[in-house]
Amino acid sequence: MYSFQPNCWSEHEELEVVLLCAPSQLDVPDLKTAENVQWSASVHQVRAMENFLEFKDVLENAGVKVIDYSKELPAQEQLLSDQLLNRYFVRDLACVFGNMIVPGEAGISMRRPEYVHAHTLLEKWFPKSYNHNKVPRKALEFGDVLILNKDAVLINIGVRTTIEGVESIKEKIFEAGFCEIGIIDLPRSSDTLHLDMNCNVANEDLVMAKSFMRYFPVHVFTAQTARFDMTDQFLKRHGFEVYWLDKYESIPDFNFLNLNPGTLIISKKATKQPFKNHPKLQKKNIIEIEVTELEKGGGGIRCMTLPLLRRR
């Protein structure tokens, strides 16, 4: 169906093709309902869709091909999908490691249908790239994964990702061509739900991270060995300076997207000072977009994107 083949080796190279999904057609009418579905506030569907369309326009105006998988589903699945509140958080569903698509597994049962929908389409579109699960998989959501560069991947086990889930894909990551996998185990709370609510790649040689992460060890695996590093040692060894932040808002401040090596897309609610203060970020083109209504679902801009192709 598509002429390109998925290929991603980092978080910062030029984004050419990305998978998105429009928000569901349902309102979340009040705080009580929001709490029951693990959201932070009531959400008005019309405003959520306005946020989504603004984001989609920014990507397309920058020359990125956007695939909205909600438009590609058969009628019966579309009827169900339109009622799935979390479906726009596509980052969790799968990850492209090199030229291999590895599917994830939902950490909560509420999200399982959207994983099935997206995986069915990805397998149909990219049969040569899609990696079939040969064994039952434990929870693995790819908001817990950062592809640092062609050599290293950092993965968090926490609220939504299990060590068993990570173990089930380790060999596939090495097979894709990466040399090291670092596994970190961060605190389990609402504001540390996924790795990308705690740190993110802001430049080819810079990671922004919550300051508490400096105290956490990383279990480092190669295809043959295992050892431990501290977080900053692991990142520095792979060419990254760590920009530690003491004050932050978990979702808007860390959940940004690299459009290309010179451009970041950030939330209008993000704290701007960190991006202005660091010399490696001062020359960045910073595009601010309104995603407040979408962020109430517990995720941000990075959560809403599944990169399929980044130019090396």
Side-chain angles (χ1 to χ4, degrees):
M1 181 175 180
Y2 293 105
S3 58
F4 73 95
Q5 286 300 311
N7 198 280
C8 288
W9 294 90
S10 78
E11 301 286 341
H12 64 270
E13 291 165 311
E14 184 170 354
L15 184 63
E16 292 194 350
V17 185
V18 67
L19 188 74
L20 303 184
C21 186
S24 82
Q25 295 184 5
L26 302 180
D27 289 333
V28 177
D30 50 51
L31 181 57
K32 182 62 176 176
T33 303
E35 290 173 346
N36 284 333
V37 299
Q38 300 182 37
W39 284 22
S40 63
S42 61
V43 171
H44 194 277
Q45 194 275 338
V46 171
R47 287 196 293 269
M49 184 61 75
E50 289 171 353
N51 284 185
F52 173 78
L53 292 175
E54 177 184 340
F55 182 32
K56 183 172 179 284
D57 285 346
V58 166
L59 291 168
E60 290 181 331
N61 289 339
V64 179
K65 179 177 179 59
V66 174
I67 301 172
D68 180 351
Y69 89 76
S70 69
K71 297 181 178 180
E72 306 288 343
L73 294 168
Q76 192 62 33
E77 293 181 356
Q78 181 76 63
L79 184 63
L80 171 61
S81 179
D82 285 344
Q83 301 173 76
L84 299 176
L85 290 177
N86 295 295
R87 70 175 186 173
Y88 63 95
F89 293 133
V90 297
R91 175 72 65 156
D92 301 325
L93 307 179
C95 185
V96 179
F97 292 100
N99 57 15
M100 179 187 298
I101 302 173
V102 177
E105 188 69 36
I108 56 172
S109 60
M110 185 179 182
R111 297 202 62 186
R112 286 175 186 159
E114 67 204 70
Y115 280 68
V116 174
H117 291 167
H119 294 169
T120 301
L121 290 173
L122 289 170
E123 184 176 8
K124 173 185 174 182
W125 297 336
F126 309 111
K128 295 181 180 179
S129 302
Y130 190 84
N131 177 252
H132 295 269
N133 296 336
K134 294 182 180 179
V135 295
R137 179 171 292 164
K138 301 295 184 181
L140 174 67
E141 297 192 352
F142 285 103
D144 276 318
V145 175
L146 288 179
I147 299 178
L148 298 173
N149 52 35
K150 64 182 178 60
D151 295 318
V153 174
L154 181 61
I155 305 177
N156 174 53
I157 53 175
V159 179
R160 297 285 182 85
T161 294
T162 62
I163 186 62
E164 293 85 0
V166 176
E167 291 284 352
S168 72
I169 67 165
K170 274 172 52 183
E171 295 308 315
K172 292 299 179 184
I173 295 174
F174 293 133
E175 183 182 324
F178 296 88
C179 301
E180 283 194 354
I181 300 170
I183 299 177
I184 194 167
D185 188 349
L186 295 179
R188 289 152 171 78
S189 65
S190 60
D191 65 347
T192 57
L193 183 68
H194 284 135
L195 181 62
D196 60 14
M197 293 170 65
N198 297 276
C199 66
N200 202 350
V201 175
N203 199 51
E204 64 178 354
D205 56 359
L206 184 70
V207 168
M208 292 175 65
K210 294 179 180 179
S211 58
F212 79 83
M213 286 183 63
R214 71 171 74 234
Y215 300 104
F216 280 73
V218 175
H219 203 176
V220 183
F221 293 87
T222 69
Q224 293 82 29
T225 66
R227 64 188 184 87
F228 287 94
D229 272 343
M230 296 304 288
T231 299
D232 59 343
Q233 293 171 325
F234 175 74
L235 291 170
K236 287 176 181 177
R237 194 158 46 78
H238 288 289
F240 290 90
E241 175 189 350
V242 187
Y243 184 13
W244 300 111
L245 299 184
D246 296 312
K247 297 180 179 179
Y248 43 75
E249 293 292 333
S250 292
I251 294 174
D253 288 359
F254 291 97
N255 212 261
F256 51 81
L257 179 72
N258 290 266
L259 183 60
N260 55 53
T263 306
L264 296 176
I265 303 177
I266 70 171
S267 166
K268 283 190 175 179
K269 290 181 66 179
T271 307
K272 308 306 183 299
Q273 211 58 41
F275 296 96
K276 296 177 181 178
N277 288 348
H278 198 284
K280 290 181 178 178
L281 300 179
Q282 289 171 349
K283 294 183 179 180
K284 288 274 190 181
N285 177 26
I286 305 293
I287 300 174
E288 299 179 36
I289 62 171
E290 178 60 72
V291 286
T292 301
E293 205 71 12
L294 296 170
E295 288 173 330
K296 295 175 183 178
I301 291 170
R302 186 180 187 272
C303 297
M304 294 185 276
T305 60
L306 171 48
L308 296 176
L309 180 61
R310 284 190 183 272
R311 180 185 298 168
R312 297 185 70 184

